[in-house]
Amino acid sequence: MASWEDNIRKVVPYVPGEQPKEKNIIKLNTNENPYGPSKRVLEKAVELENLKLYPDPAATELVDTIAAYHGLNSNQVFVGVGSDDVLAMAFLTFFNSGKKILFPDITYSFYDVWAELFNIPYETVAVDDNFRIKASDYYGENGGIIFPNPNAPTSIGESLSFVEDIVKNNKDVIVIVDEAYVDFGGETALPLIDKYDNLLVVRTYSKSRSMAGLRIGYAMGNDKLIKYLNDVKYSYNSYTMNLPSIILGKESMLDDEYFKETVRKVIDTREWFKAEIEKLGFSCPPSKANFLFITHNTLTAKEIFEKAKANKIYVRYFNKPRIDNYLRVTIGTREEMETFLSFLKTLV
Ligand SMILES: *Cc1c(COP(=O)(O)O)cnc(C)c1O
């Protein structure tokens, strides 16, 4: 190894779910929303002008629209290139005490990657045998806390009082609640941001808003937290939000009817599909997300994963301790789920 290699920042990157090049597949592996964005968004997309200009570095139109949608002031909203960008910024901004930050052992697998990348010490806290997070495990001294609610890949949503319990027992550190899936039946911690200045709530356009390709995420918290996030952003790249994201992200928020209708369809399909697979010997925790975390009483997850893939159906398999006999199945359209169900019936 050349000596300059000693001083390279070496990281093990996050591995996203596969984006297959293959055509005519049923894609249930990365929690996208099958319905696509509102027509209003698509119509607006063809009208985009002014690509020659730098975008508004503050993404004011988008920030104002998101703030109005949630009944907040604009200085309580920070936007980024997907919630991954928002979360990475938040790690960089808030987790600097040198003490260990805490997150569950079964959770979004990007958290440990950011911690490693930014040299933030961390400790994972085991969820219980039913994959539930225990609030009291987070009472001890720490450098900050992050967890998704609903959690991924377990799909389990905890109550507002559960989140408040953790936030109020950790007033000296920042608690980040990653609400990537909250629109599918979870309970949001948003009402707590005025009460607790150490709480940051993070959302994404990628799942419920069906706009994963555009890359928009946002954080909500008190104006001080948002200012600190913006200071870091402007020290790194002033123009994280491109012009199409600002304009189309705003348009999506303005069509609430379409948003609610597609979210409702995903939830209805999820509940129907869950009942059907339970008849086949599958079980899964109650889901508050756009996916189910399923296991079978005789077939192994790996076997199902491989056979499904051979049949052009992609689901997510995690070769990791505790969850290697589970599959994370994104809820597609009713038709896609019917095809997957027929496949599972032939398998069982
Ligand atoms: C999908 C997901 C994200 C990232 O979403 P993007 O906005 O597409 O970057 C963050 N957190 C969790 C828990 C997710 O599942």
Side-chain angles (χ1 to χ4, degrees), residues 30-31 81-85 87 108 111 114 148 150 152 178 180-181 203-207 212 215-217 291 328:
T30 51
N31 294 350
V81 187
S83 57
D84 285 343
D85 178 52
L87 290 165
Y108 188 38
Y111 301 155
W114 288 314
D178 179 352
Y181 299 103
R203 297 276 184 95
T204 176
Y205 272 58
S206 300
K207 279 77 185 227
R215 312 302 302 129
I216 305 175
F291 59 87
R328 194 195 66 192

Side-chain angles (χ1 to χ4, degrees), residues 184-252:
F184 300 104
E187 222 181 317
T188 180
L190 204 53
L192 300 180
I193 65 169
D194 288 325
K195 195 166 166 193
Y196 299 98
D197 62 4
N198 61 322
L199 171 65
L200 191 77
V201 174
V202 177
R203 297 276 184 95
T204 176
Y205 272 58
S206 300
K207 279 77 185 227
S208 55
R209 293 196 173 271
S210 203
M211 290 170 75
L214 205 58
R215 312 302 302 129
I216 305 175
Y218 56 100
M220 297 171 287
N222 75 82
D223 54 346
K224 223 170 165 180
L225 293 184
I226 300 305
K227 184 193 176 293
Y228 282 128
L229 275 171
N230 274 313
D231 286 348
V232 169
K233 172 194 134 162
Y234 289 125
S235 308
Y236 185 77
N237 176 1
S238 311
Y239 301 108
T240 54
M241 302 309 290
N242 63 53
L243 187 85
S245 292
I246 294 170
I247 293 173
L248 304 180
K250 171 181 172 181
E251 206 60 30
S252 164

